[in-house]
Amino acid sequence: MFKGFHQDINLISSGMVGILGIPFDGFSSFLRGASLAPARIRETLYSDSSNMCVESGFCLSDDSRWIDLGDLVIKNSTEAIRQIEAGCAAVLGRGGLLLTLGGDHSITYPILRAYTQKFAHINILQFDAHADLYHEYDGNKYSHACPFARIMEEKLADRLVQVGVRTLTPHLVQQASRFGVEIVPIDRWKNGSNLTFSDPVYLSFDMDVLDPAFAPGVSHHEPGGFSTREVLEIIQSLKGRIVGADIVEFNPVRDPTGVTGMVAVKLLKEILAKILGA
Ligand code: MN
Ligand code: MN
């Protein structure tokens, strides 16, 4: 059995959602700190500052279909990809679904490798200021700038839809076209644009999709992003069955006031409720 969870993985049964921290930032290209995010998100989630109810009125505290599994123990960068895949596959193998807390965005590639062992068809909705489609970055094919190139190369997703992107380079445009990625650049986003998916959807949420005014606690400040309200509306109105999600790139080192942590927790709660169909 896979050992590496703080919680007993036997508590996960079919249809349940496991919250799993993946405190890994070894493949960040600019700043470290995202590995501190799971602990900060938990501290914020369980603080008395807010309650466990979402905007629809549904209260997560009244629902026993989710469980906090604690953090995955990552030994080192060399082992990370394999360990993350194995840890996620263990939860999915028990019939559970995952909402993971990064860590940097490199974790999404091994998570998707685990998901495709269980789901024959997956669509990905990626919220991000960046396309993360570099063939390699600083000589590292597993950099947080590359996960979606690996995912598309290995055909782990049938569809990849990216919203909020605002830093495309010619190489990234070429990669997107090569892989058939559906990029909705932020300047072409229309309020009320309906996102509809027929296959199960995996939602990958990079906190830097938000404008730094709303979420300054990220490693790459990219002005001109969405407001918190806008991303909540996109998530709440999404048509499709969400079977997994990650919230990545929150960097507590850059969040002295704690505001970005509150935004991450808000997203966690709304996304969790959406996965639970509540
Ligand atoms: Mn990203
Ligand atoms: Mn990003």
Side-chain angles (χ1 to χ4, degrees), residues 1-7 20-21 69-74 83 87:
M1 195 183 82
F2 186 85
K3 296 191 200 315
F5 298 105
H6 294 160
Q7 285 281 356
L20 179 64
L69 289 168
D71 288 351
L72 198 61
V73 178
I74 308 283
Q83 280 187 306

Side-chain angles (χ1 to χ4, degrees), residues 59-236:
C59 291
L60 292 161
S61 43
D62 299 334
D63 199 298
S64 57
R65 292 173 299 157
W66 67 278
I67 186 171
D68 184 348
L69 289 168
D71 288 351
L72 198 61
V73 178
I74 308 283
K75 283 188 199 139
N76 53 53
S77 292
T78 319
E79 295 283 302
I81 296 285
R82 193 195 57 77
Q83 280 187 306
I84 295 166
E85 181 181 341
C88 293
V91 176
L92 296 170
R94 292 191 54 81
L97 299 174
L98 280 161
L99 201 176
T100 55
L101 310 174
D104 68 38
H105 219 156
S106 66
I107 68 168
T108 305
Y109 163 58
I111 294 171
L112 259 293
R113 281 182 56 103
Y115 261 86
T116 48
Q117 292 170 31
K118 181 168 165 179
F119 293 91
H121 298 282
I122 284 270
N123 293 169
I124 300 175
L125 173 59
Q126 176 190 356
F127 288 84
D128 207 322
H130 314 91
D132 294 350
L133 285 167
Y134 281 95
H135 178 65
E136 65 169 32
Y137 201 85
D138 291 341
N140 181 7
K141 290 182 81 171
Y142 300 105
S143 160
H144 72 157
C146 308
F148 294 92
R150 301 291 84 76
I151 285 167
M152 298 312 277
E153 264 169 13
E154 293 186 21
K155 299 185 168 41
L156 303 181
D158 295 319
R159 257 183 100 187
L160 171 57
V161 179
Q162 300 182 326
V163 297
V165 174
R166 51 192 185 275
T167 59
L168 286 173
T169 65
H171 169 68
L172 293 170
V173 171
Q174 201 175 38
Q175 288 282 85
S177 142
R178 173 183 161 207
F179 295 127
V181 180
E182 301 165 51
I183 300 182
V184 187
I186 198 155
D187 57 343
R188 272 189 269 142
W189 179 262
K190 298 278 182 290
N191 263 349
S193 297
N194 262 339
L195 289 170
T196 305
F197 297 91
S198 47
D199 292 321
V201 185
Y202 182 88
L203 200 165
S204 188
F205 196 97
D206 183 327
M207 291 291 289
D208 67 30
V209 77
L210 291 156
D211 192 276
F214 295 89
V218 296
S219 298
H220 302 262
H221 290 154
E222 195 60 50
F226 284 124
S227 69
T228 308
R229 189 75 254 150
E230 284 172 315
V231 295
L232 287 170
E233 278 168 12
I234 297 169
I235 292 167
Q236 288 164 346

